[in-house]
Every structure is written in C-alpha cells, then in structure tokens.
Amino acid sequence: MVHLEKRAEELHQQDVLLTQLRNCTIKLYGNPNTLRLTKAQGCTLRCGPVSASVCLEDCSDCVLAVACQQLRVHTTKDTRIFLQVTSRAIMEDCTGIQFAPYTWSYPGIDKDFEGSGLDKNKNNWNDVDDFNWLARDVASPNWNVLPEEERRIQWD
C-alpha cells in the first residue's frame, strides 16, 4: 500500500489532479481550490475543504472523505463517499455509490474551512442528482445512504 501526503502549505488554493492510482492511501491537508481524482482503484482519500469542485471519474472500490462546494461523480462504481457539500452532489453513469456525512478531522481543519469559504453548517451530503435516474418518486438504484453502523471509520 502506497501512502501519499501533502501539507496545507503545498495545497493552498491549488488545483489538484490525482490519476491512475491503485491501492493508495492519500491525505491532503489544507484548502485546495479543486480536486480531480481519475482512474483510481482501491484507494482511500482524505481531503481538507476544497473551495470549489471535487470531480471523480472512472474510480472503483474507493473510500473518500471530501468537503467541497460541488461534487461531480462520473463512471465510478462501488465507492463510499463521506461528504460535506454545500450544493448538490451530481452523478452520472455510476453504480454502487454510498454516501455518508464527512467525518475526517485534523488539527487546523477549522481554519481550512474558513479559508475555503465553505459553510460548515450547510451539508447536503444525501441530496444527490443521479442523471441516469430521473424518477423523483422512486429511489435511484445507483446510490444509497451508507448505513450508520458502517460509518464508523478510523481515518488515522
């Protein structure tokens, strides 16, 4: 298992691209502007508050903790997302996605939330627009809320 870590001073308002990772543990402290994760498999990613958007594409069997203004998930499967989002999550061409509230914390995260401009009190983690499921009266088969007993996760 490969461990990648970036500190706050390296990421402050930077656009972060992570691609083609396999079986990695990633910790991103601080306040990036955007985060894009593509072609990741079997990875665990923890990220401090992202000012703008987080985009996941072609990922599978991952566990993510992300806080952001907007989340977009495309062609991703079998992934758990611990989410703090101020708008609505958007997903397309995904299956087996599970959502839960953001639970990662580290020393200085409150300062990073302030710097991100995100409202820590506004979290639409379970308000998801699935572009492959437009029926409003029937739940999408492509995502669900992670059961509470499965949310207990030791991040560090």
Side-chain angles (χ1 to χ4, degrees), residues 70-132:
Q70 180 185 62
L71 174 71
R72 297 186 311 245
V73 185
H74 300 280
T75 56
T76 291
K77 64 180 184 175
D78 303 326
T79 292
R80 290 183 289 162
I81 303 171
F82 291 79
L83 180 63
Q84 170 90 28
V85 65
T86 55
S87 64
R88 293 169 68 115
I90 296 169
M91 58 183 270
E92 188 170 26
D93 301 325
C94 297
T95 58
I97 308 299
Q98 294 184 297
F99 291 97
Y102 184 78
T103 56
W104 190 44
S105 187
Y106 55 86
I109 194 169
D110 290 334
K111 180 176 169 254
D112 292 336
F113 262 101
E114 284 176 28
S116 73
L118 297 179
D119 181 352
K120 201 172 178 186
N121 297 313
K122 185 174 184 184
N123 191 0
N124 297 313
W125 65 272
N126 60 351
D127 196 358
V128 179
D129 286 331
D130 180 353
F131 286 1
N132 293 100

Side-chain angles (χ1 to χ4, degrees), residues 25-87:
T25 299
I26 305 129
K27 292 182 191 176
L28 304 175
Y29 296 95
N31 168 228
N33 184 52
T34 64
L35 170 63
R36 186 166 178 205
L37 179 67
T38 66
K39 296 176 176 57
Q41 184 178 4
C43 294
T44 299
L45 178 136
R46 291 161 270 210
C47 187
V50 176
S51 293
S53 63
V54 171
C55 183
L56 310 175
E57 195 169 22
D58 297 324
C59 297
S60 63
D61 302 307
C62 293
V63 177
L64 305 140
V66 293
C68 55
Q69 193 274 323
Q70 180 185 62
L71 174 71
R72 297 186 311 245
V73 185
H74 300 280
T75 56
T76 291
K77 64 180 184 175
D78 303 326
T79 292
R80 290 183 289 162
I81 303 171
F82 291 79
L83 180 63
Q84 170 90 28
V85 65
T86 55
S87 64

